Amino acid sequence: MSNAVFIRAEELAQELEISKAKAYKMIRQWNEELRAKGYATVNGRVSRHYYKEHIYGLADKKGDD
């Protein structure tokens, strides 16, 4: 797994073994949630931390990347 701040749809699709279309749909949804909270977003990418939080249920702890 990359140490990049954002995860791209292609990597998300590969990691979760889903189609790229489904990965883009998930990223769009997460970016909508982030925008509603006032965060800036990048189309086709989502914060790796936000992704891990939603997929793996990681708590918001320091050092939890």
Side-chain angles (χ1 to χ4, degrees):
M1 186 185 293
S2 173
N3 288 328
V5 174
F6 293 100
I7 187 167
R8 296 173 181 241
E10 293 82 8
E11 185 180 352
L12 181 64
Q14 184 178 19
E15 197 166 307
L16 298 179
E17 298 180 358
I18 59 175
S19 70
K20 281 200 290 188
K22 178 66 175 173
Y24 276 110
K25 185 175 181 179
M26 293 170 75
I27 287 173
R28 274 193 301 276
Q29 175 63 41
W30 292 335
N31 279 338
E32 286 177 20
E33 293 170 11
L34 287 167
R35 278 191 297 276
K37 294 179 181 182
Y39 293 99
T41 62
V42 178
N43 288 338
R45 302 173 189 188
V46 73
S47 158
R48 191 171 294 279
H49 180 78
Y50 199 73
Y51 151 69
K52 288 180 179 179
E53 185 178 295
H54 278 75
I55 296 298
Y56 301 114
L58 295 179
D60 206 10
K61 298 178 188 174
K62 275 197 167 190
D64 219 11
D65 292 326

